[in-house]
Amino acid sequence: MSLRAILLGPPGSGKGTQAAYIVERFKITHISSGDLFRRHVRERSPIGLHLEPFLSAGDLVPDDLVFEMLAESIALACASGGYLLDGFPRTLAQAEKTYELAESAGFTLHAVVALQAPTEVLVARLLRRGEDSGRPDDTEAVIRHRLNVHEQSTAPLLDYYGRRGILQVFDASPPIAEVRERLLKRLDEIVTSADEH
Ligand code: AP5
């Protein structure tokens, strides 16, 4: 059976890094809202011009716009069986709407993977990346703002998914390979157990 999962975590926790290993292991569709939005900004599409100020300031893109851009990809991913949503949902409104979409397609999630690490570890990683990433949101002031936005708008999702019994929390401060091993091992167990039921 395929894996259907969400990757949650503050900026710098390693969502993009670990997503690459997860989609490779389970051969599933990877949907990264941040990557999609940055592609539009890079290509200077009409929607990209609209998105740019939100991304540069480290503010969330409004929910209705996020859905307009992602609904089709999510529906297609549901139809393909397995998927990993990375950086989405990010607000309770997004989580509720995603739940409705998956439910209407007859799918339930296997896991919500939450990566966690101390704030100063996250800031240091993103400052290091900012030396050559070219991302306008990798400056110290914007990084700290993104972390506050995460705390206010996204951290409440931990309770939301915790209540549904599908939350898997991982310490994301060890080296990348160590986080990867723990995460893949747990996801293997979850998929195997889902196969048996
Ligand atoms: P998004 O692209 O989702 O960015 P983010 O959440 O800020 O996360 P990052 O990409 O900075 O970090 P990451 O957790 O993926 O870590 P990574 O693996 O890259 O969103 C960007 C913006 O788009 C948002 O601010 C918002 O404006 C908008 N947006 C996106 N989705 C939205 C939504 N659903 N609703 C509204 N707005 C939305 O790693 C970071 C660095 O750390 C790398 O250099 C990596 O090599 C390093 N690293 C990773 N893991 C480790 C480790 N274990 N040890 C040492 N270094 C590590």
Side-chain angles (χ1 to χ4, degrees), residues 130-185:
E131 287 166 15
D132 51 21
S133 71
R135 271 179 65 162
D137 59 348
D138 276 348
T139 62
E140 180 154 5
V142 181
I143 290 167
R144 291 195 185 275
H145 179 64
R146 285 157 63 202
L147 289 167
N148 286 335
V149 169
H150 173 85
E151 197 48 42
Q152 283 169 23
S153 303
T154 310
L157 296 189
L158 295 176
D159 268 355
Y160 177 87
Y161 289 117
R163 284 198 301 275
R164 281 162 178 73
I166 51 173
L167 185 66
Q168 305 289 328
V169 179
F170 291 86
D171 176 8
S173 34
I176 291 172
E178 200 176 316
V179 179
R180 179 189 64 208
E181 291 318 310
R182 285 191 201 158
L183 215 154
L184 292 180
K185 181 167 179 287

Short mmCIF file of all heavy atoms in Angstrom, two decimals, residues 130-185:
data_model
loop_
_atom_site.label_atom_id
_atom_site.label_comp_id
_atom_site.label_asym_id
_atom_site.label_seq_id
_atom_site.Cartn_x
_atom_site.Cartn_y
_atom_site.Cartn_z
N GLY A 130 21.00 30.80 3.76
CA GLY A 130 20.82 32.11 3.15
C GLY A 130 22.08 32.67 2.51
O GLY A 130 22.00 33.57 1.66
N GLU A 131 23.25 32.13 2.91
CA GLU A 131 24.50 32.65 2.32
C GLU A 131 24.52 32.43 0.82
O GLU A 131 25.12 33.19 0.08
CB GLU A 131 25.72 31.99 2.99
CG GLU A 131 25.92 32.51 4.41
CD GLU A 131 26.90 31.66 5.22
OE1 GLU A 131 27.63 30.84 4.62
OE2 GLU A 131 26.91 31.84 6.46
N ASP A 132 23.84 31.36 0.35
CA ASP A 132 23.82 31.19 -1.11
C ASP A 132 22.49 30.73 -1.70
O ASP A 132 22.39 30.41 -2.86
CB ASP A 132 24.97 30.27 -1.59
CG ASP A 132 25.00 28.99 -0.83
OD1 ASP A 132 23.96 28.63 -0.25
OD2 ASP A 132 26.04 28.35 -0.79
N SER A 133 21.41 30.73 -0.89
CA SER A 133 20.13 30.24 -1.43
C SER A 133 19.47 31.21 -2.38
O SER A 133 18.70 30.82 -3.25
CB SER A 133 19.14 29.97 -0.28
OG SER A 133 18.70 31.18 0.30
N GLY A 134 19.74 32.51 -2.21
CA GLY A 134 19.04 33.50 -3.02
C GLY A 134 17.60 33.70 -2.57
O GLY A 134 16.86 34.45 -3.18
N ARG A 135 17.18 33.02 -1.50
CA ARG A 135 15.81 33.19 -1.03
C ARG A 135 15.71 34.48 -0.24
O ARG A 135 16.43 34.68 0.74
CB ARG A 135 15.39 32.00 -0.15
CG ARG A 135 14.77 30.88 -0.95
CD ARG A 135 14.38 29.69 -0.11
NE ARG A 135 13.32 29.95 0.87
CZ ARG A 135 12.60 29.00 1.45
NH1 ARG A 135 12.82 27.73 1.14
NH2 ARG A 135 11.69 29.29 2.34
N PRO A 136 14.81 35.39 -0.64
CA PRO A 136 14.73 36.68 0.04
C PRO A 136 14.22 36.55 1.48
O PRO A 136 14.37 37.47 2.27
CB PRO A 136 13.74 37.49 -0.81
CG PRO A 136 12.97 36.48 -1.59
CD PRO A 136 13.86 35.28 -1.75
N ASP A 137 13.64 35.36 1.79
CA ASP A 137 13.14 35.18 3.17
C ASP A 137 14.17 34.52 4.08
O ASP A 137 13.87 34.19 5.21
CB ASP A 137 11.81 34.40 3.16
CG ASP A 137 11.92 33.01 2.52
OD1 ASP A 137 12.95 32.72 1.87
OD2 ASP A 137 10.97 32.22 2.67
N ASP A 138 15.41 34.34 3.60
CA ASP A 138 16.46 33.76 4.44
C ASP A 138 17.35 34.82 5.07
O ASP A 138 18.57 34.69 5.10
CB ASP A 138 17.30 32.75 3.62
CG ASP A 138 16.66 31.36 3.56
OD1 ASP A 138 15.70 31.10 4.31
OD2 ASP A 138 17.13 30.53 2.75
N THR A 139 16.77 35.93 5.51
CA THR A 139 17.54 36.93 6.27
C THR A 139 17.07 36.82 7.72
O THR A 139 15.94 36.36 7.96
CB THR A 139 17.25 38.36 5.80
OG1 THR A 139 15.85 38.61 6.02
CG2 THR A 139 17.56 38.54 4.32
N GLU A 140 17.91 37.25 8.66
CA GLU A 140 17.58 36.97 10.07
C GLU A 140 16.21 37.53 10.47
O GLU A 140 15.41 36.83 11.11
CB GLU A 140 18.67 37.49 11.01
CG GLU A 140 18.28 37.18 12.44
CD GLU A 140 19.44 37.05 13.40
OE1 GLU A 140 20.60 37.29 12.98
OE2 GLU A 140 19.16 36.70 14.57
N ALA A 141 15.90 38.78 10.08
CA ALA A 141 14.62 39.37 10.51
C ALA A 141 13.44 38.57 9.94
O ALA A 141 12.47 38.28 10.65
CB ALA A 141 14.55 40.83 10.06
N VAL A 142 13.54 38.19 8.67
CA VAL A 142 12.41 37.46 8.06
C VAL A 142 12.35 36.03 8.59
O VAL A 142 11.26 35.49 8.82
CB VAL A 142 12.49 37.49 6.51
CG1 VAL A 142 11.30 36.77 5.89
CG2 VAL A 142 12.51 38.93 6.00
N ILE A 143 13.51 35.44 8.85
CA ILE A 143 13.51 34.07 9.43
C ILE A 143 12.77 34.09 10.77
O ILE A 143 11.90 33.26 11.03
CB ILE A 143 14.97 33.57 9.64
CG1 ILE A 143 15.64 33.29 8.29
CG2 ILE A 143 14.99 32.33 10.52
CD1 ILE A 143 17.15 33.10 8.36
N ARG A 144 13.10 35.07 11.61
CA ARG A 144 12.44 35.13 12.93
C ARG A 144 10.94 35.40 12.78
O ARG A 144 10.13 34.87 13.53
CB ARG A 144 13.13 36.16 13.84
CG ARG A 144 14.53 35.71 14.23
CD ARG A 144 15.11 36.49 15.39
NE ARG A 144 16.48 36.08 15.64
CZ ARG A 144 16.84 35.03 16.39
NH1 ARG A 144 15.92 34.31 17.00
NH2 ARG A 144 18.11 34.71 16.55
N HIS A 145 10.57 36.22 11.81
CA HIS A 145 9.15 36.46 11.56
C HIS A 145 8.47 35.17 11.10
O HIS A 145 7.37 34.83 11.57
CB HIS A 145 8.99 37.58 10.52
CG HIS A 145 7.55 37.86 10.19
ND1 HIS A 145 6.66 38.36 11.12
CD2 HIS A 145 6.83 37.69 9.05
CE1 HIS A 145 5.45 38.48 10.56
NE2 HIS A 145 5.54 38.08 9.31
N ARG A 146 9.10 34.42 10.18
CA ARG A 146 8.51 33.16 9.72
C ARG A 146 8.31 32.20 10.89
O ARG A 146 7.30 31.48 10.95
CB ARG A 146 9.43 32.50 8.68
CG ARG A 146 9.38 33.20 7.32
CD ARG A 146 10.64 32.94 6.50
NE ARG A 146 10.87 31.56 6.15
CZ ARG A 146 12.06 31.07 5.84
NH1 ARG A 146 13.13 31.86 5.82
NH2 ARG A 146 12.19 29.80 5.51
N LEU A 147 9.28 32.19 11.81
CA LEU A 147 9.15 31.28 12.96
C LEU A 147 7.97 31.71 13.84
O LEU A 147 7.23 30.86 14.36
CB LEU A 147 10.45 31.25 13.77
CG LEU A 147 11.60 30.53 13.04
CD1 LEU A 147 12.95 30.81 13.72
CD2 LEU A 147 11.35 29.02 13.01
N ASN A 148 7.76 33.03 13.99
CA ASN A 148 6.59 33.51 14.77
C ASN A 148 5.29 33.16 14.08
O ASN A 148 4.32 32.74 14.72
CB ASN A 148 6.65 35.04 14.96
CG ASN A 148 7.71 35.41 15.97
OD1 ASN A 148 8.06 34.61 16.83
ND2 ASN A 148 8.23 36.64 15.87
N VAL A 149 5.27 33.34 12.76
CA VAL A 149 4.05 33.01 12.00
C VAL A 149 3.74 31.52 12.18
O VAL A 149 2.59 31.12 12.39
CB VAL A 149 4.23 33.37 10.51
CG1 VAL A 149 3.10 32.79 9.66
CG2 VAL A 149 4.31 34.88 10.33
N HIS A 150 4.80 30.71 12.12
CA HIS A 150 4.60 29.26 12.30
C HIS A 150 3.98 28.98 13.67
O HIS A 150 3.02 28.22 13.79
CB HIS A 150 5.93 28.51 12.17
CG HIS A 150 5.79 27.05 12.52
ND1 HIS A 150 5.38 26.11 11.61
CD2 HIS A 150 5.94 26.40 13.70
CE1 HIS A 150 5.29 24.94 12.21
NE2 HIS A 150 5.63 25.09 13.48
N GLU A 151 4.55 29.61 14.68
CA GLU A 151 4.08 29.37 16.06
C GLU A 151 2.60 29.73 16.20
O GLU A 151 1.81 29.00 16.80
CB GLU A 151 4.95 30.22 17.00
CG GLU A 151 4.92 29.83 18.45
CD GLU A 151 5.12 28.34 18.68
OE1 GLU A 151 5.98 27.73 18.02
OE2 GLU A 151 4.37 27.78 19.51
N GLN A 152 2.22 30.85 15.60
CA GLN A 152 0.84 31.31 15.75
C GLN A 152 -0.15 30.55 14.87
O GLN A 152 -1.24 30.21 15.31
CB GLN A 152 0.75 32.80 15.39
CG GLN A 152 1.29 33.67 16.52
CD GLN A 152 1.46 35.11 16.08
OE1 GLN A 152 0.83 35.55 15.12
NE2 GLN A 152 2.32 35.83 16.75
N SER A 153 0.22 30.32 13.61
CA SER A 153 -0.78 29.80 12.66
C SER A 153 -0.69 28.29 12.43
O SER A 153 -1.69 27.66 12.13
CB SER A 153 -0.61 30.48 11.30
OG SER A 153 -0.72 31.87 11.47
N THR A 154 0.51 27.72 12.55
CA THR A 154 0.68 26.32 12.15
C THR A 154 0.81 25.38 13.36
O THR A 154 0.30 24.26 13.33
CB THR A 154 1.91 26.16 11.23
OG1 THR A 154 1.79 27.13 10.17
CG2 THR A 154 1.96 24.79 10.59
N ALA A 155 1.47 25.86 14.42
CA ALA A 155 1.65 24.98 15.59
C ALA A 155 0.32 24.44 16.13
O ALA A 155 0.26 23.28 16.58
CB ALA A 155 2.44 25.72 16.68
N PRO A 156 -0.80 25.20 16.07
CA PRO A 156 -2.08 24.64 16.54
C PRO A 156 -2.50 23.36 15.80
O PRO A 156 -3.32 22.59 16.30
CB PRO A 156 -3.09 25.77 16.29
CG PRO A 156 -2.26 27.02 16.33
CD PRO A 156 -0.93 26.64 15.75
N LEU A 157 -1.92 23.12 14.63
CA LEU A 157 -2.28 21.89 13.89
C LEU A 157 -1.79 20.64 14.62
O LEU A 157 -2.29 19.54 14.39
CB LEU A 157 -1.67 21.91 12.47
CG LEU A 157 -2.18 23.00 11.52
CD1 LEU A 157 -1.66 22.77 10.12
CD2 LEU A 157 -3.69 23.02 11.50
N LEU A 158 -0.79 20.81 15.50
CA LEU A 158 -0.30 19.64 16.26
C LEU A 158 -1.43 19.07 17.10
O LEU A 158 -1.62 17.85 17.17
CB LEU A 158 0.88 20.03 17.15
CG LEU A 158 2.15 20.47 16.41
CD1 LEU A 158 3.22 20.92 17.39
CD2 LEU A 158 2.69 19.34 15.54
N ASP A 159 -2.21 19.95 17.74
CA ASP A 159 -3.36 19.49 18.53
C ASP A 159 -4.42 18.87 17.63
O ASP A 159 -4.99 17.83 17.95
CB ASP A 159 -4.02 20.70 19.22
CG ASP A 159 -3.44 20.91 20.59
OD1 ASP A 159 -2.63 20.06 21.01
OD2 ASP A 159 -3.79 21.92 21.22
N TYR A 160 -4.66 19.55 16.51
CA TYR A 160 -5.70 19.11 15.56
C TYR A 160 -5.42 17.66 15.12
O TYR A 160 -6.30 16.80 15.15
CB TYR A 160 -5.71 20.07 14.37
CG TYR A 160 -6.66 19.72 13.25
CD1 TYR A 160 -7.99 20.14 13.29
CD2 TYR A 160 -6.23 18.99 12.15
CE1 TYR A 160 -8.86 19.82 12.25
CE2 TYR A 160 -7.09 18.68 11.11
CZ TYR A 160 -8.41 19.10 11.16
OH TYR A 160 -9.26 18.79 10.14
N TYR A 161 -4.16 17.38 14.72
CA TYR A 161 -3.84 16.03 14.24
C TYR A 161 -3.59 15.07 15.41
O TYR A 161 -3.81 13.86 15.28
CB TYR A 161 -2.64 16.07 13.30
CG TYR A 161 -2.99 16.72 11.97
CD1 TYR A 161 -2.38 17.90 11.56
CD2 TYR A 161 -3.96 16.16 11.15
CE1 TYR A 161 -2.72 18.50 10.35
CE2 TYR A 161 -4.31 16.76 9.94
CZ TYR A 161 -3.69 17.92 9.55
OH TYR A 161 -4.04 18.50 8.36
N GLY A 162 -3.12 15.62 16.54
CA GLY A 162 -2.93 14.78 17.73
C GLY A 162 -4.25 14.16 18.13
O GLY A 162 -4.33 12.96 18.46
N ARG A 163 -5.31 14.94 18.09
CA ARG A 163 -6.64 14.43 18.47
C ARG A 163 -7.11 13.33 17.53
O ARG A 163 -7.92 12.50 17.90
CB ARG A 163 -7.67 15.57 18.47
CG ARG A 163 -7.56 16.49 19.69
CD ARG A 163 -8.85 17.30 19.85
NE ARG A 163 -9.16 18.12 18.68
CZ ARG A 163 -8.66 19.33 18.45
NH1 ARG A 163 -7.82 19.86 19.32
NH2 ARG A 163 -8.98 20.01 17.37
N ARG A 164 -6.59 13.34 16.30
CA ARG A 164 -7.00 12.30 15.34
C ARG A 164 -6.12 11.05 15.43
O ARG A 164 -6.31 10.10 14.68
CB ARG A 164 -6.96 12.88 13.91
CG ARG A 164 -8.18 13.71 13.63
CD ARG A 164 -8.04 14.64 12.47
NE ARG A 164 -9.29 15.36 12.26
CZ ARG A 164 -9.74 16.34 13.06
NH1 ARG A 164 -9.02 16.72 14.11
NH2 ARG A 164 -10.89 16.93 12.82
N GLY A 165 -5.13 11.10 16.30
CA GLY A 165 -4.30 9.91 16.55
C GLY A 165 -3.32 9.56 15.44
O GLY A 165 -2.86 8.42 15.34
N ILE A 166 -2.99 10.54 14.58
CA ILE A 166 -2.09 10.20 13.46
C ILE A 166 -0.79 11.02 13.52
O ILE A 166 -0.01 11.00 12.57
CB ILE A 166 -2.77 10.42 12.08
CG1 ILE A 166 -3.40 11.81 11.99
CG2 ILE A 166 -3.78 9.33 11.79
CD1 ILE A 166 -3.93 12.16 10.61
N LEU A 167 -0.57 11.72 14.64
CA LEU A 167 0.60 12.60 14.73
C LEU A 167 1.85 11.81 15.14
O LEU A 167 1.82 11.05 16.10
CB LEU A 167 0.31 13.70 15.76
CG LEU A 167 1.38 14.77 15.90
CD1 LEU A 167 1.47 15.60 14.61
CD2 LEU A 167 1.07 15.68 17.08
N GLN A 168 2.95 12.02 14.40
CA GLN A 168 4.24 11.40 14.71
C GLN A 168 5.25 12.53 14.86
O GLN A 168 5.56 13.21 13.89
CB GLN A 168 4.70 10.49 13.55
CG GLN A 168 3.72 9.42 13.14
CD GLN A 168 3.63 8.33 14.18
OE1 GLN A 168 4.62 8.03 14.87
NE2 GLN A 168 2.46 7.73 14.31
N VAL A 169 5.74 12.72 16.08
CA VAL A 169 6.65 13.85 16.33
C VAL A 169 8.10 13.35 16.32
O VAL A 169 8.41 12.33 16.93
CB VAL A 169 6.32 14.52 17.68
CG1 VAL A 169 7.28 15.67 17.96
CG2 VAL A 169 4.88 15.02 17.69
N PHE A 170 8.97 14.07 15.61
CA PHE A 170 10.38 13.70 15.53
C PHE A 170 11.27 14.86 15.94
O PHE A 170 11.02 16.01 15.56
CB PHE A 170 10.76 13.29 14.10
CG PHE A 170 10.14 12.00 13.67
CD1 PHE A 170 8.87 11.99 13.12
CD2 PHE A 170 10.81 10.80 13.86
CE1 PHE A 170 8.28 10.79 12.75
CE2 PHE A 170 10.22 9.60 13.48
CZ PHE A 170 8.95 9.60 12.93
N ASP A 171 12.34 14.54 16.66
CA ASP A 171 13.36 15.53 16.97
C ASP A 171 14.18 15.71 15.69
O ASP A 171 14.81 14.77 15.21
CB ASP A 171 14.23 15.01 18.12
CG ASP A 171 15.38 15.96 18.43
OD1 ASP A 171 15.41 17.08 17.88
OD2 ASP A 171 16.24 15.56 19.25
N ALA A 172 14.14 16.95 15.14
CA ALA A 172 14.82 17.20 13.87
C ALA A 172 16.19 17.84 14.08
O ALA A 172 16.80 18.29 13.13
CB ALA A 172 13.95 18.10 12.99
N SER A 173 16.68 17.86 15.35
CA SER A 173 17.99 18.50 15.54
C SER A 173 19.19 17.60 15.26
O SER A 173 20.26 18.13 14.96
CB SER A 173 18.10 19.17 16.90
OG SER A 173 17.43 18.49 17.88
N PRO A 174 19.10 16.27 15.33
CA PRO A 174 20.27 15.45 14.96
C PRO A 174 20.63 15.62 13.47
O PRO A 174 19.86 16.22 12.71
CB PRO A 174 19.80 14.01 15.22
CG PRO A 174 18.64 14.12 16.12
CD PRO A 174 17.98 15.43 15.79
N PRO A 175 21.79 15.06 13.07
CA PRO A 175 22.18 15.16 11.66
C PRO A 175 21.12 14.57 10.72
O PRO A 175 20.34 13.69 11.12
CB PRO A 175 23.47 14.34 11.59
CG PRO A 175 23.98 14.33 12.99
CD PRO A 175 22.80 14.40 13.89
N ILE A 176 21.13 15.06 9.48
CA ILE A 176 20.12 14.70 8.48
C ILE A 176 19.92 13.17 8.38
O ILE A 176 18.78 12.69 8.39
CB ILE A 176 20.50 15.28 7.10
CG1 ILE A 176 20.37 16.80 7.13
CG2 ILE A 176 19.66 14.67 5.98
CD1 ILE A 176 20.91 17.53 5.90
N ALA A 177 21.04 12.43 8.30
CA ALA A 177 20.93 10.97 8.08
C ALA A 177 20.24 10.30 9.26
O ALA A 177 19.48 9.33 9.08
CB ALA A 177 22.31 10.37 7.86
N GLU A 178 20.51 10.80 10.46
CA GLU A 178 19.91 10.20 11.66
C GLU A 178 18.39 10.44 11.67
O GLU A 178 17.61 9.53 11.96
CB GLU A 178 20.57 10.82 12.88
CG GLU A 178 20.43 10.00 14.12
CD GLU A 178 21.21 10.65 15.27
OE1 GLU A 178 22.37 11.09 15.08
OE2 GLU A 178 20.62 10.75 16.36
N VAL A 179 17.99 11.68 11.35
CA VAL A 179 16.55 11.98 11.31
C VAL A 179 15.90 11.10 10.24
O VAL A 179 14.85 10.49 10.46
CB VAL A 179 16.31 13.48 10.99
CG1 VAL A 179 14.82 13.79 10.91
CG2 VAL A 179 17.01 14.39 12.01
N ARG A 180 16.56 11.00 9.08
CA ARG A 180 16.02 10.21 7.97
C ARG A 180 15.78 8.75 8.41
O ARG A 180 14.72 8.18 8.15
CB ARG A 180 17.00 10.24 6.79
CG ARG A 180 16.52 9.42 5.60
CD ARG A 180 17.62 9.29 4.55
NE ARG A 180 18.76 8.54 5.07
CZ ARG A 180 20.02 8.68 4.68
NH1 ARG A 180 20.33 9.54 3.74
NH2 ARG A 180 20.97 7.97 5.21
N GLU A 181 16.79 8.13 9.07
CA GLU A 181 16.65 6.72 9.46
C GLU A 181 15.45 6.51 10.36
O GLU A 181 14.65 5.60 10.17
CB GLU A 181 17.93 6.22 10.16
CG GLU A 181 19.15 6.11 9.26
CD GLU A 181 18.83 5.51 7.89
OE1 GLU A 181 18.19 4.45 7.84
OE2 GLU A 181 19.19 6.11 6.86
N ARG A 182 15.32 7.39 11.38
CA ARG A 182 14.22 7.23 12.35
C ARG A 182 12.87 7.40 11.67
O ARG A 182 11.93 6.66 11.93
CB ARG A 182 14.34 8.29 13.44
CG ARG A 182 15.44 7.98 14.40
CD ARG A 182 15.32 8.90 15.60
NE ARG A 182 16.60 8.97 16.27
CZ ARG A 182 16.97 9.95 17.06
NH1 ARG A 182 16.17 10.97 17.27
NH2 ARG A 182 18.14 9.93 17.64
N LEU A 183 12.83 8.41 10.82
CA LEU A 183 11.57 8.74 10.16
C LEU A 183 11.12 7.63 9.20
O LEU A 183 9.97 7.18 9.23
CB LEU A 183 11.87 10.02 9.38
CG LEU A 183 10.85 11.08 9.23
CD1 LEU A 183 11.55 12.40 9.02
CD2 LEU A 183 10.03 10.76 8.05
N LEU A 184 12.05 7.15 8.38
CA LEU A 184 11.69 6.10 7.41
C LEU A 184 11.30 4.81 8.12
O LEU A 184 10.37 4.11 7.71
CB LEU A 184 12.83 5.86 6.42
CG LEU A 184 13.12 7.02 5.45
CD1 LEU A 184 14.28 6.66 4.51
CD2 LEU A 184 11.89 7.41 4.63
N LYS A 185 12.01 4.52 9.21
CA LYS A 185 11.70 3.30 9.97
C LYS A 185 10.26 3.37 10.48
O LYS A 185 9.48 2.43 10.33
CB LYS A 185 12.70 3.16 11.12
CG LYS A 185 12.52 1.94 11.97
CD LYS A 185 13.76 1.77 12.88
CE LYS A 185 13.61 0.54 13.77
NZ LYS A 185 12.66 0.72 14.85
#
